[in-house]
Amino acid sequence: MTRLSYATLGALPAGTGPLVDPGTLRTRIVHLGLGAFHRAHQAVHTEQAEALHGGGWGIAGFSQRGRSVVGQLAPQDGLYSLTLRAPEGPRTRVVGQLTEVRHAVDDAARLRELLASPDVTVVTTTVTEKGYRRAADGSLDTRDPLVAADLAGAPVPATVVGQLAHGLRTRRITSGAPLSVVPCDNMADNGAVVARLVGEYVEASGWADRDALLMWIQDAVAFPSTVVDRIVPATTAADRDAASAVLGVRDESAVIGEPFTQWVLQDTFAADRPRWEDTGALFVPDVAPYQVMKLRLLNGAHTLLSCLGIADGRESVADAMTAPWGEPVLRAYAAEVAGSLPAGLDVEGYVDGLVLRFSNPAMRHLLRQIATDSSQKIPERWLAPLREIRVAGRPGTVLTGALAAWMRHTRDQSLDDPAADRIRAAWTGSGDEPVRGLLAVLGARDLADDDALVTAVRERLSALDADGPNALL
Ligand code: CS2
C-alpha cells in the first residue's frame, strides 16, 4: 500500500484530510517528546486553532529517546492519523501540523537553532514524569548520569532540561526574544517545576554568563503550568492496519485516542501563541484545582485499577471496569480522595465522567501501559492526598489499600520502572522492612517511619492476598 505523505493527501477519502493545508505552516512551536500523546492532544488543539485563525503555527517535534517515531513520521512528511474511538464507532482523520520531525540528540543543532529563533514563541514538552530527571526531593538529579554528562559539557545535551537550558542560553545571546515553555506532563505545578529545574541546571552549569541568563529567563521566559487530559493507549499493529484501511494509504504513525480532551493552561504566556482557547482549552490564573482533581482522581484511579486489575487477570481499563469490583473500587477511591480536593469542584460529575470514559468499550487501554513507572507516579497521585487526609485525622483506608496493591504488584509482577532494582532489593527484607523500604523508594521517608501506617499497609496486603480487589471495599 502507498504510504501516507504530502503526495498522497489528495487521494484521501472525503473528510479524512487535515483541517489545514500543511503548505501554509512554518515552524513556530517546538515540541520535546514526540510521543502519541502530543500527537493526539496539543497538536490537534493547535491544528484546530490554526483552522480558525491561521498564523502558520507548525510544530517541530523532537523525539527524546527512540528513533522509531522519526522513522515512522519522516517518510510521511510528518503526517499521521488520529482515530477517536467513541462507543458508537471510530473516526479517523489525518493531522498535518508537524512541519519537522527530528531527534533531539541527532538533530541537536536544529533544536538549538529553533529554540533561539524569534519565530518560535512556544515550546511544549511531554517527556513523562521520569524524563525531567528529578531526585527524590524534587530537585534536578545531578547524580543522574545523563544530567551529569550534560553538565560536564557533553557535545550535545541528552536531557530535556539540558536542552532547554542550552537553547535558552543561545536565545538570550542571539534574539533575546521572549518565549513560553509549556510542560504538558502529569505533574502538579509542572510549569514551576520545569522553571526550577532549568534554573538549577543553569546554576550548576558553571557558565560565565549564568547570572545574566537566570535574570533574563526570569524576565523573558514564562513557564505556564498546564493540565492535559486525553486517554491515548499505545498504538498496536492492528490499530495501524485499521487506520490505513480507512485512509486507503499506509499510516505507520497512527495514533488512537478517546473523544474526550481537556487542556487547562495558566494564563501567563510571555509571547504569541495559537488561540487554543477557541478549541476548548481553558486559560485560568491558577490551574492547581484542575490539576489535583485530575492527578488524584483520574490518574490515581488509573494506577489503582492497573495494580488491582493485573493481579486479577484483566488486560485493559475497560476490562477492569467490567469486573464486579471495578466501578465500586473506583467510586470508593474517589469518595476518599475527594476529601483532599479544594472546595467548589464538581467532583461528582467528574467521577461520573470517569466511569463512562474508563468503561468505553471501544478503547483498549492496557493496564500494563499505565503500570509503567508507577514509582514515579504514585507520590503525586496517592501520597499527596494520603498525607492531607491523615493530617485531617482520617485513616485513608482506600489509599492505604492502594499502596498495598502497588506493593503486591511489585512483589508478583515483572516491572517496567526506573526504580525496579531498588524495589527488588526492598523485597529481600523481612517483617516490616519491605513496606518501609518500598515507601522509601517512593521518596516517602515520613511515611516509612510512620508505624501505624506501615502496620495498616501490611494488613491491607494480607487482605488483598486473601480476598483480591474486594479487600478495598
Ligand atoms: C495514565 C495517563 O499512564 C498513565 O499513567 O494515567 O497516561 C492517563 O491516561 C492520561 O493522563 C489521561 O489524560
Side-chain angles (χ1 to χ4, degrees), residues 37 129 186 228-232 258 294 298-300 302-303 357 365 369-372 377 381:
F37 186 74
E129 294 87 337
N186 290 318
V228 290
D229 192 4
R230 169 167 267 167
I231 293 171
V232 180
E258 63 172 339
K294 196 250 164 176
L298 186 153
N299 297 114
H302 255 169
T303 298
R357 292 170 63 194
H365 191 197
Q369 179 183 345
I370 296 167
T372 306
K377 299 172 175 175
R381 296 179 182 195

Side-chain angles (χ1 to χ4, degrees), residues 415 417-428 438 441:
L415 297 180
D417 194 301
D421 290 345
R422 287 190 296 141
I423 291 169
R424 259 192 300 278
W427 275 111
T428 59
L438 290 167
V441 168

Side-chain angles (χ1 to χ4, degrees), residues 10-27:
L12 292 175
T16 64
L19 298 182
V20 172
D21 173 1
T24 62
L25 303 174
R26 63 187 204 277
T27 298

Side-chain angles (χ1 to χ4, degrees), residues 417-447:
D417 194 301
D421 290 345
R422 287 190 296 141
I423 291 169
R424 259 192 300 278
W427 275 111
T428 59
S430 59
D432 280 353
E433 284 166 8
V435 170
R436 290 190 201 275
L438 290 167
L439 287 167
V441 168
L442 296 176
R445 298 238 164 245
D446 56 330
L447 301 178

